[in-house]
């Protein structure tokens, strides 16, 4: 219902310049700006570029409360003023020509669009729909398929275009449609990928339509106007078809060149002649209807000569008789000479000619003659089949000489599906109104009314033509494609009034005009696609002359059109362009159906007579017609569109047009997320969904980009990846830096080929920010189950203990959240894209963590970087374990897991704690105590750390020298006898060592925390074994022990980890999430 409102004037001292600036650029077609977040935004009346208002101060008092936001949220009065002054007149052909005439001296005032429904939509659609197929092939289709099947063909094709027009009307009235018509509608409704693919298909269809119109022009010229102009002439009847094709190629190329020059020189002449071409079409149609009604009273005389029941070409003879009586003397006619060896009455003649009589029938018997019953059914046949009438005749065995005799025959094999493909181009052209949307006074009203009325009108014309042609014209004349039986006249011309030349001349100029229109429209369509930037290799075709004329696009269009002309057969070109137009119409229907079903808030068409079922029906009909016409052409067209789609998806520019496909993706994602929320994934479906924690430097760049490389190698593009980072501060003060950091991370992800999402959190401190990411990253069922981070390698030199404390707290939080944790040491040495040579990935399986240690190497080896690496699994046997049985069990377990790996069991017996371990523990505790008691400066801490490192190195070297002098105490296999011998020897050795240590014990060792001593002992012994076996491995995976429950020992925990990984290059510490991630079951 109408809304009543009153405008109350309020005093306002604002400068009116703000309201009037740049009025005509409020709604630009697709103006993209880069704003703070780096994302393109559409320029519209509701999203203003703040640059337009820089320096403009708001002086009013009544709206002072809103003055600080006036730049981004303008006054309603300003908005309405801009909308009132908006014009959707585009810089089309007329403006380009005006610019040429003006030579840039001064800009002309562009008038507002004034075209109404009749002139702007109805007549252009009528002109584009009615064309070459109606004049050259309609009668042949009716004669070949019969009235009933022709009626079905016309009904299917017209229903398809009517349903498409309804969908197109809904889209065209859902907001302003700038010039670009169907391409603009499809691309903005279905996205750049579909838009580019279908836009190029529409371009190819329009280009091949130009080739079809040019071939039609040449066929009319050489067959019906000046047959003597043929360059190639056949000596034999069998070679006539080939000679005609060569003539079509030569004349078609000349005609294309001439038309391209006309379009290049001045398109305004094409536009001025458009009315002449339209008049030719209308007059031709009227002359046909006048001729039909004239046949009721006075049918035109076009006799057809039949030999038996075979139709003869009426070219080489003047009388339809074998002999004639002249001066009471019987003489043979010219027809006799065509079938006999000589003019003598006793000459040897063709057998069929001798046995059958010659009869003459009327080619146009008239509307009331009853011919409709004879033409009701089809007459399909192979190429070379003679056109015969249902008359009695004496049959004879066909001979090879028949092909050289003047019979009317099928030039191509005919069948129902072929006729559908040939006929469909005659119903295309429904987009002519939407393509002129920039020139219409009220496009949202004119496009639906004009297009639907034009389709209804042409449908009536086509359906009535089927019935009237079948009722007025004899069956053999209808099936005579080139009118050979009526002395080479255009078949539809024989029906017209007052003369056949009305149709011949009218159809000739109509085809010329349609060809020029195609060569005018196709380059502009290609230029629009190129300027959108969605297909990178087409960008060169976006350029043109100084006035915007698409020169390069015209050149490409002419070349593609020439390929159609070289085919030289109108019947072969028509199905090709049918495919491209049908694909375009299919996606128009799909766009409307999607928008309707998704119920997007912006879907508010003014045209209300649509429904998604109609769009779906139109889409199904388009698809059916594609495969009915030619299944192989349909597959090729789909393949071309699919390749363009994938290319745009892979290489094209990213565009956000609010398209329907994005809406489908959102709905599908929502549905999938809700389904995922119902239950956790089964073990068989478990894969690491990564939360990658990155550190940024002072310039907000990624510190360890190889962490992203490792993520890519581990994920291989599958599953979820969230890359997170934390900035310290408040969001209000660091929002710009957060967006910049996000852009830098996305750039790094792109460089490392990491597919996933980026999330930068601004928090008061690093610890809380990481906690927020761990808790809240992801959505619903798409949440991370694993955390990947880098080992803080310089934690000892750091002046801020929060760095390593934050790391340990992250370990604790992942454990509490039941998340798996992966910590990479020396991550900068991890491989990038280079493939590793043959080597090993060593897994040290010390404690069971749910199978993460076995699963990760398998996932890594799926990537090309790690593919040549072999997997080795080491496990540790204690003194009481049976190592031989352990190895067998582990091999069987891996067999059931379907994993290929070498298995090795390393035996570590309980040994005494070495002096090195005591020294290591003592240094660790002394350093920890000193840092707690003293507030050292940064320089002093670094000196202290270096001193401790030197002492550790010296102690370790002494221990190694001592170890070299002692026998090896790590064994690979145990037997029962060996076990008892070793146990007894160790008992004696331990007793001796106890006595010896009692005297050698340093006083400061007695005060050490025995728990720390045992932990350090484990770390040292494990490090010795791992370094011994895996120092040359490409990657070492270790179980990561958890931090101590007592937070006072956090620094000691970091020391234990450092000792355990000392001497190893690439290490991945793995901590399971508390659930099984690998299973032996299928």
């Amino acid at each position: 219902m109408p809304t009543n409102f009153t405008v109350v004037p309020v005093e306002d001292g604002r400068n009116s310049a703000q309201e009037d600036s740049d009025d005509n650029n409020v709604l630009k077609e697709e103006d993209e700006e880069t704003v703070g977040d780096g994302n393109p935004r559409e320029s519209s009346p509701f999203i203003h570029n703040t640059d337009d208002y820089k320096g403009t101060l708001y002086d009013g008092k009544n709206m002072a409360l809103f003055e600080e936001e006036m730049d981004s949220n303008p006054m309603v009065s300003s908005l309405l003023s801009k909308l009132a002054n908006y014009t959707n007149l585009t810089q089309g052909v007329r403006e380009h020509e005006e610019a040429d005439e003006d030579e840039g001296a001064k800009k002309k005032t562009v008038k507002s669009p004034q075209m109404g429904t009749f002139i702007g939509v109805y007549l252009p659609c009528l002109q584009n729909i009615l064309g070459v197929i109606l004049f050259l092939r309609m009668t042949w289709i009716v004669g070949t398929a019969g009235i009933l099947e022709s009626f079905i063909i016309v009904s299917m094709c017209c229903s398809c275009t009517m349903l498409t027009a309804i969908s197109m009307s809904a889209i065209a009235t859902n907001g302003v449609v700038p010039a670009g018509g169907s391409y603009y509608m499809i691309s903005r409704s279905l996205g750049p990928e579909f838009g580019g693919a279908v836009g190029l298909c529409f371009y190819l269809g329009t280009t091949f339509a130009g080739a079809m119109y040019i071939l039609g022009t040449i066929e009319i010229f050489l067959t019906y106007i000046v047959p003597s102009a043929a360059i190639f002439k056949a000596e034999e009847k069998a070679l006539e078809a080939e000679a005609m094709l060569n003539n079509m190629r030569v004349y078609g190329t000349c005609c294309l060149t001439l038309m391209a020059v006309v379009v290049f020189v001045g398109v305004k002449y094409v536009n001025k002649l458009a009315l002449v071409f339209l008049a030719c079409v209308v007059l031709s149609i009227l002359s046909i209807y006048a001729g039909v009604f004239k046949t009721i009273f006075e049918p035109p005389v076009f006799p057809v000569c039949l030999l038996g029941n075979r139709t003869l070409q009426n070219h080489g003879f003047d009388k339809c008789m074998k002999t004639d009586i002249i001066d009471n003397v019987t003489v043979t006619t010219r027809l006799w000479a065509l079938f006999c060896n000589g003019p003598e009455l006793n000459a040897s003649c063709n057998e069929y000619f001798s046995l059958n009589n010659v009869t003459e029938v009327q080619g146009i018997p008239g509307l009331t003659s009853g011919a409709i019953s004879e033409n009701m059914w089809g007459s399909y046949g192979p190429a070379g089949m003679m056109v015969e009438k249902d008359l009695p005749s004496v049959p004879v065995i066909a001979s090879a000489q028949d092909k050289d005799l003047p019979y009317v025959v099928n030039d191509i094999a005919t069948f129902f599906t072929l006729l559908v493909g040939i006929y469909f181009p005659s119903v295309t052209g429904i987009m002519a109104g939407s393509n002129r949307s920039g020139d219409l006074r009220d496009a949202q009203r004119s496009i639906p009314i004009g297009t639907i009325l034009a389709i209804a009108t042409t449908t009536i014309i086509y359906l009535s033509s089927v019935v009237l042609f079948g009722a007025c014209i004899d069956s053999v004349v209808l099936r005579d494609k080139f009118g050979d039986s009526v002395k080479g006249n255009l078949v539809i011309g024989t029906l017209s009034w007052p003369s056949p030349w009305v149709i011949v001349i009218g159809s000739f100029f109509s085809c010329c005009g349609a060809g020029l229109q195609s060569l005018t429209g196709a380059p502009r369509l290609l230029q629009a696609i190129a300027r959108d930037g969605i297909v990178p290799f087409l960008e060169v075709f976006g350029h043109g002359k100084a006035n915007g004329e698409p020169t390069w696009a015209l050149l490409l269009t002419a070349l593609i059109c020439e390929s159609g002309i070289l085919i030289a057969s109108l019947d072969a070109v028509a199905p090709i362009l049918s495919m491209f137009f049908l694909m375009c119409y299919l996606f128009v229907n799909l766009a409307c159906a999607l928008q309707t079903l998704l119920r997007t808030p912006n879907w508010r068409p003014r045209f209300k007579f649509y429904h998604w079922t109609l769009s779906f029906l139109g889409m199904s009909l388009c698809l059916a017609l594609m495969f009915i016409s030619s299944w192989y052409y349909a597959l090729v067209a789909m393949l071309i569109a699919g390749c363009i789609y994938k290319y745009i998806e892979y290489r094209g520019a990213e565009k956000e047009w609010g398209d329907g496909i994005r809406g489908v993706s959102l709905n599908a994602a929502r549905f999938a997320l809700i389904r995922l929320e119902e239950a956790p994934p089964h073990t068989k479906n478990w894969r690491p969904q990564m939360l990658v924690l990155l550190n940024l430097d002072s310039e907000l760049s990624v510190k360890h980009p190889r962490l992203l490389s490792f993520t890519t190698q581990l994920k291989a593009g599958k599953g979820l990846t969230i890359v997170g980072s934390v900035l310290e501060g408040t969001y209000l003060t660091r929002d710009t830096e957060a967006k910049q950091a996000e852009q830098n991370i996305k750039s790094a992800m792109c460089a490392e080929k990491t597919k996933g999402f980026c999330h930068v959190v601004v928090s008061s401190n690093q610890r809380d920010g990481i906690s927020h990411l761990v808790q809240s990253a992801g959505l619903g069922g798409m949440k991370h189950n694993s955390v990947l981070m880098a080992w803080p390698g310089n934690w000892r030199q750091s002046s801020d203990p929060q760095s390593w404390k934050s790391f340990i707290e992250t370990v604790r939080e992942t454990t509490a959240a039941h998340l798996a944790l992966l910590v990479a040491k020396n991550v900068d040495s991890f491989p990038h894209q280079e493939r590793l040579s043959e080597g090993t990935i060593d897994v040290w399986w010390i404690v069971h963590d749910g199978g993460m240690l076995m699963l990760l190497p398998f996932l890594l080896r799926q990537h090309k970087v790690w593919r040549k690496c072999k997997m080795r699994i080491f496990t540790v046997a204690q003194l009481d374990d049976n190592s031989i049985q352990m190895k067998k069990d582990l091999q069987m377990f891996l067999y059931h897991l379907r994993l290929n790996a070498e298995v090795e069991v390393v035996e570590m017996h309980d040994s005494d704690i070495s002096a090195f371990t005591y020294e290591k523990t003592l240094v660790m505790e002394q350093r920890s105590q000193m840092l707690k008691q003293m507030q050292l400066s940064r320089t002093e801490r670094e000196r202290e750390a270096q001193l401790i490192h030197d002492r550790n190195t010296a102690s370790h070297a002494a221990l190694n020298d001592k170890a070299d002098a002692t026998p090896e105490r790590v064994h690979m296999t145990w037997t029962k006898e060996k076990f008892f011998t070793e146990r007894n020897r160790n008992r004696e050795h331990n007793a001796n060592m106890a006595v010896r240590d009692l005297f050698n014990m340093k006083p400061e060792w007695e005060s050490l925390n025995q728990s720390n001593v045992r932990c350090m002992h484990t770390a040292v012994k494990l490090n010795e074994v791992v370094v011994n076996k895996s120092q040359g491995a490409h990657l070492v995976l270790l179980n990561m022990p958890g931090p101590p429950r007592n937070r006072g020992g956090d620094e000691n925990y970091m020391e234990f980890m450092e000792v355990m990984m000392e001497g190893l290059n690439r290490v991945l510490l793995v901590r399971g999430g508390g659930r099984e991630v690998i299973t032996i079951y299928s």
Side-chain angles (χ1 to χ4, degrees):
M1 59 182 292
T3 304
N4 297 320
F5 60 92
T6 305
V7 178
V8 181
V10 179
E11 285 188 10
D12 191 356
R14 288 187 300 114
N15 192 337
S16 61
Q18 178 177 338
E19 298 181 5
D20 298 330
S21 63
D22 206 11
D23 283 342
N24 291 328
N25 294 324
V26 180
L27 278 173
K28 287 181 277 187
E29 176 180 344
E30 205 51 43
D31 184 18
E32 295 186 353
E33 309 160 5
T34 302
V35 290
D37 58 358
N39 295 327
R41 298 271 181 90
E42 272 195 32
S43 180
S44 74
F46 311 106
I47 306 174
H48 278 275
N49 187 346
T50 55
D51 292 343
D52 296 341
Y53 298 95
K54 284 182 179 178
T56 304
L57 299 177
Y58 178 75
D59 300 325
K61 301 176 182 177
N62 297 320
M63 294 294 171
L65 187 61
F66 300 96
E67 65 183 3
E68 291 185 359
E69 298 179 348
M70 201 62 72
D71 286 347
S72 57
N73 301 328
M75 293 280 294
V76 174
S77 58
S78 172
L79 173 66
L80 294 178
S81 173
K82 289 178 178 294
L83 288 176
N85 293 326
Y86 167 67
T87 171
N88 66 351
L89 181 65
T90 58
Q91 294 297 316
V93 174
R94 186 175 70 246
E95 288 77 9
H96 292 320
E97 295 301 330
E98 288 174 353
D100 279 344
E101 294 171 0
D102 194 45
E103 296 179 352
K106 65 177 183 177
K107 189 176 179 181
K108 288 193 175 185
T109 303
V110 179
K111 296 181 180 179
S112 298
Q114 294 296 326
M115 284 192 181
T117 303
F118 186 75
I119 298 295
V121 180
Y122 180 77
L123 290 181
C125 285
L126 211 63
Q127 180 185 355
N128 279 265
I129 295 172
L130 298 171
V132 61
I133 300 295
L134 172 64
F135 299 126
L136 294 184
R137 294 291 182 268
M138 192 67 182
T139 53
W140 174 71
I141 290 173
V142 174
T144 305
I147 294 175
L148 284 179
E149 292 185 27
S150 299
F151 207 86
I152 293 172
I153 292 173
V154 173
S155 299
M156 281 198 306
C157 295
C158 291
S159 298
C160 176
T161 54
M162 179 62 80
L163 292 171
T164 303
I166 292 172
S167 299
M168 184 192 72
S169 299
I171 298 173
T173 58
N174 187 51
V176 177
V177 179
S182 57
Y183 163 68
Y184 183 92
M185 290 189 292
I186 295 169
S187 61
R188 271 55 176 182
S189 297
L190 294 179
E193 293 86 4
F194 277 110
V198 180
L200 284 176
C201 284
F202 189 53
Y203 163 74
L204 291 173
T206 307
T207 305
F208 275 102
M212 183 187 72
Y213 291 129
I214 291 173
L215 289 174
T217 303
I218 302 305
E219 183 177 314
I220 294 169
F221 180 76
L222 290 179
T223 308
Y224 307 112
I225 299 179
V226 191
S228 59
I231 298 173
F232 300 93
K233 297 182 180 179
E235 299 295 333
E236 301 177 7
K237 182 175 180 291
L239 300 177
E240 286 181 358
E242 187 63 32
M244 184 63 181
L245 293 179
N246 290 329
N247 286 319
M248 298 280 280
R249 292 184 180 105
V250 173
Y251 277 97
T253 303
C254 296
C255 184
L256 172 63
T257 305
L258 180 63
M259 287 184 176
V261 170
V262 170
V263 172
F264 177 77
V265 171
V267 182
K268 62 180 179 181
Y269 301 114
V270 178
N271 290 334
K272 289 178 180 178
L273 289 173
L275 192 60
V276 176
F277 300 142
L278 176 61
C280 291
V281 174
V282 174
L283 288 175
S284 299
I285 299 293
L286 293 177
S287 71
I288 293 170
Y289 280 104
V292 166
F293 289 107
K294 183 176 180 293
T295 61
I296 300 175
F297 313 103
E298 186 183 347
V301 179
F302 283 99
V304 177
C305 190
L306 301 175
L307 175 61
N309 63 348
R310 297 177 181 178
T311 310
L312 298 178
Q313 293 183 351
N314 197 351
H315 289 307
F317 57 92
D318 52 352
K319 294 180 180 180
C320 184
M321 55 182 66
K322 293 181 181 181
T323 59
D324 193 11
I325 299 174
I326 300 177
D327 298 330
N328 294 323
V329 178
T330 302
V331 294
T332 58
T333 61
R334 294 172 63 185
L335 179 62
W336 179 283
L338 294 174
F339 287 88
C340 300
N341 294 333
E344 300 83 10
L345 289 172
N346 59 353
S348 176
C349 294
N350 177 270
E351 183 182 4
Y352 189 84
F353 180 77
S354 301
L355 296 177
N356 290 278
N357 294 324
V358 176
T359 56
E360 193 173 67
V361 298
Q362 191 58 254
I364 311 294
L367 191 62
T368 58
S369 64
I372 189 169
S373 59
E374 184 183 357
N375 294 324
M376 192 62 68
W377 310 106
S379 179
Y380 302 106
M385 186 188 80
M386 297 179 188
V387 175
E388 299 177 342
K389 190 173 176 64
D390 188 15
L391 290 175
S393 66
V394 179
V396 297
I397 299 174
S399 63
Q401 288 77 23
D402 288 347
K403 64 181 181 180
D404 296 323
L405 297 175
Y407 294 122
V408 177
V409 297
N410 287 350
D411 62 329
I412 57 173
T414 54
F415 40 90
F416 178 80
T417 57
L418 172 75
L419 300 185
V420 175
I422 292 175
Y423 173 75
F424 188 81
S426 67
V427 297
T428 59
I430 63 172
M431 302 287 186
S434 62
N435 290 340
R436 295 166 178 255
S437 56
D439 300 323
L440 299 174
R441 187 185 306 117
D442 184 359
Q444 297 193 9
R445 178 178 177 273
S446 297
I447 290 176
I449 296 175
T451 305
I452 291 173
L453 281 178
I455 293 174
T457 304
T458 53
T459 302
I460 293 170
I461 291 173
Y462 284 134
L463 291 175
S464 62
S465 296
V466 168
V467 177
L468 294 176
F469 291 165
C472 293
I473 305 175
D474 191 86
S475 61
V476 293
V477 179
L478 284 175
R479 284 181 281 152
D480 182 5
K481 182 186 292 185
F482 301 107
D484 292 320
S485 62
V486 285
K487 297 185 177 180
N489 279 295
L490 182 62
V491 174
I492 198 173
T494 61
L495 190 62
S496 65
W497 179 86
S499 168
W501 285 101
V502 175
I503 291 288
V504 173
I505 300 300
S507 60
F508 177 79
F509 283 110
S510 172
C511 291
C512 282
L516 284 171
Q517 293 287 353
S518 296
L519 289 179
T520 304
R524 281 166 178 74
L525 180 59
L526 181 62
Q527 187 183 45
I529 297 171
R531 285 182 173 176
D532 263 346
I534 58 175
V535 185
F537 70 83
L538 290 180
E539 288 181 1
V540 65
F541 299 108
H543 307 297
K545 291 195 292 186
N547 63 352
E549 285 297 308
T551 308
W552 292 106
L554 176 62
L555 182 62
L556 179 66
T557 302
L559 291 175
I560 297 174
C561 195
E562 175 64 18
S563 67
I565 287 172
L566 291 178
I567 296 174
S569 172
L570 189 147
D571 300 322
V573 173
I576 296 176
L577 68 99
S578 294
M579 291 304 112
F580 292 124
F581 277 119
L582 279 167
M583 184 163 288
C584 177
Y585 296 165
L586 184 149
F587 281 101
V588 170
N589 284 296
L590 175 62
C592 182
L594 274 182
Q595 299 277 27
T596 307
L597 289 173
L598 291 176
R599 298 177 182 174
T600 52
N602 191 52
W603 181 245
R604 303 184 299 275
R606 292 189 180 278
F607 181 77
K608 300 300 182 183
F609 305 101
Y610 71 94
H611 195 266
W612 69 268
T613 52
L614 294 177
S615 300
F616 188 79
L617 181 61
M619 183 176 64
S620 304
L621 194 53
C622 288
L623 191 64
L625 285 173
M626 286 177 69
F627 282 93
I628 287 173
S629 302
S630 176
W631 63 268
Y632 45 89
Y633 278 159
L635 292 178
V636 170
M638 288 181 172
L639 180 64
I640 292 173
C643 291
I644 298 170
Y645 178 94
K646 295 306 292 184
Y647 176 80
I648 295 172
E649 187 180 53
Y650 179 66
R651 291 290 305 276
E654 294 183 4
K655 299 283 184 181
E656 175 49 59
W657 287 335
D659 51 89
I661 296 298
R662 187 173 178 84
V664 172
S665 302
L666 288 171
N667 276 272
R670 180 186 64 84
F671 177 77
L673 285 171
I674 293 173
R675 289 291 303 274
L676 284 174
E677 190 76 14
E678 294 176 359
H682 191 273
T683 303
K684 291 185 289 186
N685 296 327
W686 195 94
R687 66 168 61 246
Q689 316 282 15
M690 305 300 301
L691 170 61
V692 184
L693 298 177
L694 289 181
N695 292 325
L696 304 177
D697 57 21
S698 58
E699 296 180 354
L700 302 179
S701 298
V702 177
K703 275 188 180 179
H704 305 295
R706 293 295 173 86
L707 205 59
L708 295 173
S709 300
F710 184 70
T711 305
T712 303
Q713 295 155 18
L714 184 63
K715 302 287 293 178
K718 303 295 190 297
L720 173 71
T721 301
I722 302 174
V723 181
S725 188
V726 178
L727 296 181
E728 292 191 9
T730 62
Y731 187 74
L732 292 178
T733 57
R734 303 200 67 180
D735 61 328
T736 305
E737 294 176 30
K739 292 173 182 176
Q740 182 60 45
E742 192 168 330
Q743 288 299 319
N744 292 344
I745 293 175
K746 286 181 178 178
S747 300
M749 291 172 67
C750 184
E752 303 296 337
K753 298 181 179 179
T754 304
K755 296 181 180 179
F757 307 99
C758 176
H759 194 184
V760 176
V761 171
V762 181
S763 180
S764 57
N765 58 71
Q766 191 85 4
R767 171 69 245 116
D768 290 344
I770 293 177
S771 178
H772 294 157
L773 281 173
V774 170
Q775 293 178 60
S776 61
L779 178 64
M782 285 296 284
K783 290 184 70 70
H784 56 279
N785 55 28
S786 307
V787 177
L788 173 63
M789 58 193 304
W791 172 262
N794 60 345
W795 67 273
R796 285 172 173 159
Q797 290 79 28
S798 176
S799 60
D800 184 11
Q802 290 301 321
S803 61
W804 55 266
K805 286 185 178 180
S806 175
F807 171 79
I808 296 177
E809 287 301 313
T810 303
V811 177
R812 287 193 174 102
E813 285 196 357
T814 55
T815 304
H818 301 291
L819 301 176
L821 177 64
L822 311 179
V823 180
K825 182 193 176 188
N826 296 332
V827 69
D828 292 330
S829 68
F830 276 51
H832 181 223
Q833 298 296 334
E834 63 277 7
R835 302 189 183 193
L836 294 174
S837 59
E838 292 185 2
T840 61
I841 300 175
D842 288 359
V843 177
W844 284 85
W845 192 21
I846 301 168
V847 296
H848 183 57
D849 60 351
M852 277 283 288
L853 280 170
M854 263 83 72
L855 184 62
L856 292 177
F858 169 77
L859 295 175
L860 280 175
R861 291 180 68 242
Q862 306 303 306
H863 196 272
K864 62 181 181 180
V865 171
W866 302 89
R867 192 162 292 152
K868 293 184 179 179
C869 298
K870 294 181 179 179
M871 180 178 169
R872 295 195 302 178
I873 295 184
F874 297 90
T875 189
V876 176
Q878 298 298 322
L879 188 62
D880 296 336
D881 296 327
N882 186 338
S883 57
I884 297 176
Q885 188 61 41
M886 280 181 64
K887 185 172 182 178
K888 289 182 180 178
D889 292 343
L890 182 54
Q891 288 174 334
M892 182 58 67
F893 181 56
L894 291 176
Y895 174 77
H896 288 305
L897 288 176
R898 289 90 64 201
L899 295 176
N900 296 320
E902 297 178 12
V903 175
E904 199 167 333
V905 179
V906 178
E907 296 168 347
M908 291 178 60
H909 58 74
D910 292 334
S911 62
D912 296 316
I913 300 174
S914 65
F916 172 74
T917 302
Y918 278 111
E919 284 294 332
K920 196 86 170 172
T921 309
L922 178 62
V923 171
M924 178 187 72
E925 290 194 355
Q926 285 177 347
R927 180 180 183 278
S928 178
Q929 190 65 27
M930 282 190 297
L931 291 178
K932 288 178 181 177
Q933 292 177 354
M934 301 173 59
Q935 296 294 329
L936 296 177
S937 66
R938 182 174 183 179
T939 307
E940 291 171 329
R941 288 193 182 193
E942 291 176 354
R943 190 183 304 117
E944 175 75 10
Q946 185 63 39
L947 177 62
I948 293 172
H949 182 266
D950 294 341
R951 290 177 61 185
N952 289 347
T953 306
S955 300
H956 203 177
L959 177 68
N960 290 339
D961 294 340
K962 182 178 177 181
D964 292 340
T966 59
E968 178 65 51
R969 304 183 69 177
V970 177
H971 305 282
M972 293 308 302
T973 58
W974 291 90
T975 61
K976 190 172 183 180
E977 294 77 9
K978 184 179 178 182
F979 170 74
F980 286 114
T981 304
E982 184 69 18
R983 186 174 63 178
N984 293 333
R985 188 168 67 84
N986 279 334
R987 284 177 180 174
E988 296 173 3
H989 178 75
N990 289 344
N992 295 333
M993 282 296 297
V995 175
R996 190 168 62 210
D997 286 348
L998 189 61
F999 296 100
N1000 295 338
M1001 180 78 73
K1002 293 182 180 180
E1004 57 267 27
W1005 289 0
E1006 297 177 1
S1007 61
L1008 292 178
N1009 186 320
Q1010 292 304 306
S1011 175
N1012 288 343
V1013 173
R1014 286 187 291 105
C1015 290
M1016 183 65 75
H1017 174 70
T1018 303
V1020 170
K1021 296 301 293 181
L1022 191 58
N1023 178 257
E1024 287 177 3
V1025 176
V1026 174
V1027 170
N1028 183 37
K1029 296 291 182 182
S1030 303
Q1031 194 164 21
H1034 285 315
L1035 181 64
V1036 177
L1037 281 79
L1038 285 169
N1039 281 116
M1040 182 180 184
R1045 290 187 176 88
N1046 179 15
R1047 297 178 186 270
D1050 285 355
E1051 188 174 5
N1052 299 338
Y1053 172 76
M1054 298 294 289
E1055 285 286 354
F1056 298 149
M1057 294 294 101
E1058 285 282 6
V1059 170
M1060 190 172 69
M1061 296 185 291
E1062 194 170 3
L1064 299 173
N1065 183 21
R1066 301 186 190 117
V1067 181
L1068 186 66
L1069 296 174
V1070 181
R1071 186 164 174 77
R1075 61 163 295 170
E1076 294 292 331
V1077 300
I1078 194 167
T1079 178
I1080 64 174
Y1081 299 105
S1082 61

